[in-house]
Amino acid sequence: VVLKINSPDIQHKTEVKGVVINLTDEQEVRQAYRTIMENVKTYRPDARIEGVIVSEFCRPAAEMILGAHKDPMFGPVIVVGLGGIFVEHLKDVARCIPPVGHSEAEKMVEGLRAHSLLKGARGRAEADVRALTEAIVKFSDFVVANRDWIQSAEINPLMVLEEGNGVRMADALIISETN
């Protein structure tokens, strides 16, 4: 399993060392809980802590980001790219104004420098690109349906599993217009 800090005051859990992955037994989970709580008290002593989230650990073929932000001129803009901790550093993203259909979603994915990783570079398993494009379309529909109150939304990382196994949302954040 994976343990992640649950706090409305912490947007990026890894920055406060609030995530521990690949836990296999009760003793590891208990120790990870203590470690996360100590880390958060050190890095963000003022944060309100609601506990920890326990979720399934999965080995993705790729970690992606799927997001949206409200541009003052264009309105919502959908963003997809290489995710996890790399998104801010590599800046490999594609953007599109919604609604995003299947062909636009495919073009977004194909336009990424990381596209070769999704196709199974260097002996890695091929990622479920079809499930990724479907997730982009559904996320776009969600953003359009809720455009009046969403300032930004982000799924990061979106775990893209091996071909035929779909995608899994590992973490998400929505910021409303009114906060």
Side-chain angles (χ1 to χ4, degrees), residues 21-166:
I21 66 170
N22 201 17
L23 303 168
T24 59
D25 62 35
E26 181 180 346
Q27 183 178 350
E28 288 181 355
V29 170
R30 289 179 184 279
Q31 180 56 48
Y33 177 85
R34 288 189 291 272
T35 299
I36 288 171
M37 291 303 175
E38 289 171 13
N39 290 343
V40 172
K41 286 178 186 172
T42 299
Y43 290 97
R44 285 292 308 275
D46 60 323
R48 294 170 289 163
I49 307 301
E50 295 178 351
V52 297
I53 299 167
V54 181
S55 57
E56 171 190 15
F57 176 75
C58 61
R59 295 198 187 279
E63 290 185 21
M64 303 296 288
I65 183 171
L66 182 52
H69 66 275
K70 190 172 280 187
D71 182 271
M73 183 172 289
F74 298 106
V77 177
I78 304 297
V79 178
V80 66
L82 191 60
I85 61 172
F86 301 111
V87 68
E88 286 102 13
H89 301 288
L90 299 179
K91 296 179 174 57
D92 183 19
V93 296
R95 293 175 176 82
C96 191
I97 296 172
V100 178
H102 286 89
S103 64
E104 291 92 355
E106 289 170 3
K107 288 176 187 171
M108 290 176 79
V109 172
E110 290 168 0
L112 298 170
R113 292 189 308 270
H115 185 250
S116 63
L117 297 174
L118 297 171
K119 298 311 260 178
R122 296 203 169 227
R124 293 181 63 159
E126 190 166 336
D128 198 337
V129 175
R130 180 174 291 163
L132 173 58
T133 57
E134 183 66 26
I136 295 167
V137 171
K138 288 182 179 180
F139 183 78
S140 168
D141 291 344
F142 169 79
V143 169
V144 168
N146 295 283
R147 70 186 318 144
D148 292 337
W149 66 271
I150 293 178
Q151 178 62 37
S152 66
E154 176 181 294
I155 302 170
N156 185 25
L158 177 66
M159 305 293 205
V160 184
L161 305 180
E162 291 182 14
E163 186 174 22
N165 290 303

Side-chain angles (χ1 to χ4, degrees), residues 161-178:
L161 305 180
E162 291 182 14
E163 186 174 22
N165 290 303
V167 297
R168 300 286 185 280
M169 178 177 61
D171 206 356
L173 174 68
I174 297 176
I175 299 175
S176 68
E177 288 280 341
T178 58

